[in-house]
Amino acid sequence: MQAIFSKLRLAAAALLLTAFAAPAQAHFIFVVADPVNQGTQLQLSFGEGPEPAEAYLLDKVAHAQLWAVAADGSRSLVKLSKKTQGDEGAWVATAKERPTALQAVCQYGTFSRGGKTSLLNYFAQYVSLPGAVPAPGEELKLAVVPTLETQGIRLQVTWEGKPVSEGVEVVAAGHNGKDLEVKAADGAFVVPNVGSGRYVIRARLAQDIAGKLGDDAYQGVLNYSTLTLDIAK
């Protein structure tokens, strides 16, 4: 899904609503579970949305880890295989039973822009509503936890299991490819007036932390978390 996103930045002193400006080469990991003849296809893609994307980039996230989460909260690591068709592809697996949720992590590596090198950490989730939403695993340091309420989708962003809103940016797109309004709500975010369909949420948290990854030094850390959310009729 390629979409124009809305942006909400909730800071300690001010609330700013603007258009989200991502890097031109912006790619993120997304996970989804879709029915197929043999059961359920579990998919991890690397692109602008939860669809197969540029196949030549798949090896950059080959080390990503994906867990299938059952209704009782138990998690199992999924063995993925590369699947390509033409110039597009994704990492996939087939499950006999549909999982309640999917959770994935990938430390991408370092990325340089504007004279600054950052460490990129990617996190991804898939859930469907209505229904129980399993707690993010400890590997998902940055996560988006959705709740379906009368006013819309309530999104609680968490960092290491604790609610966080200061310095967080949240963007949302609907199943029709249009950007969605996102509102602040008591330390969380709300996407109002939603119907059935697939929604894509993305959260960003930047940290002024310097360090080294192997021989590569970085001056900051960028954490991105995607949530692909299916809402039933």
Side-chain angles (χ1 to χ4, degrees):
M1 175 187 300
Q2 294 186 358
I4 302 172
F5 290 96
S6 301
K7 169 186 174 183
L8 181 66
R9 183 184 183 95
L10 181 61
L15 180 65
L16 181 64
L17 183 64
T18 62
F20 185 84
Q25 301 90 351
H27 283 66
F28 311 92
I29 63 169
F30 298 85
V31 291
V32 293
D34 287 316
V36 293
N37 291 335
Q38 299 80 11
T40 299
Q41 179 174 276
L42 315 181
Q43 175 184 282
L44 185 149
S45 59
F46 182 53
E48 298 179 14
E51 305 90 18
E54 296 96 329
Y56 75 94
L57 293 175
L58 285 176
D59 288 343
K60 292 183 177 294
V61 295
H63 57 290
Q65 292 180 293
L66 173 67
W67 290 268
V69 187
D72 61 1
S74 60
R75 304 165 75 233
S76 57
L77 192 62
V78 178
K79 184 177 180 180
L80 296 167
S81 300
K82 188 192 297 185
K83 179 181 179 181
T84 61
Q85 183 174 0
D87 295 333
E88 297 182 338
W91 293 97
V92 302
T94 301
K96 292 182 179 179
E97 296 185 4
R98 182 179 179 85
T100 299
L102 298 175
Q103 301 176 354
V105 299
C106 180
Q107 186 175 77
Y108 181 81
T110 56
F111 170 83
S112 296
R113 167 164 284 191
K116 180 179 180 179
T117 300
S118 298
L119 175 66
L120 294 184
N121 292 322
Y122 290 133
F123 308 93
Q125 300 161 265
Y126 168 82
V127 298
S128 58
L129 293 175
V133 177
E138 62 179 9
E139 298 87 359
L140 271 76
K141 292 187 175 181
L142 183 65
V144 182
V145 181
T147 305
L148 192 58
E149 301 182 346
T150 55
Q151 68 269 34
I153 309 169
R154 180 180 175 86
L155 305 170
Q156 180 64 70
V157 181
T158 62
W159 174 256
E160 295 183 337
K162 298 180 180 180
V164 61
S165 57
E166 183 176 350
V168 172
E169 297 174 353
V170 174
V171 296
H175 57 280
N176 54 8
K178 293 184 178 180
D179 59 315
L180 300 175
E181 180 183 14
V182 184
K183 296 180 178 181
D186 300 324
F189 304 89
V190 171
V191 180
N193 304 320
V194 298
S196 60
R198 177 162 288 181
Y199 295 84
V200 179
I201 314 297
R202 190 169 75 239
R204 175 185 184 271
L205 178 63
Q207 298 170 302
D208 291 326
I209 299 175
K212 293 189 71 175
L213 181 65
D215 295 329
D216 297 329
Y218 56 86
Q219 296 78 49
V221 179
L222 294 175
N223 302 287
Y224 291 96
S225 187
T226 65
L227 168 65
T228 304
L229 173 64
D230 281 341
I231 297 181
K233 294 182 179 180

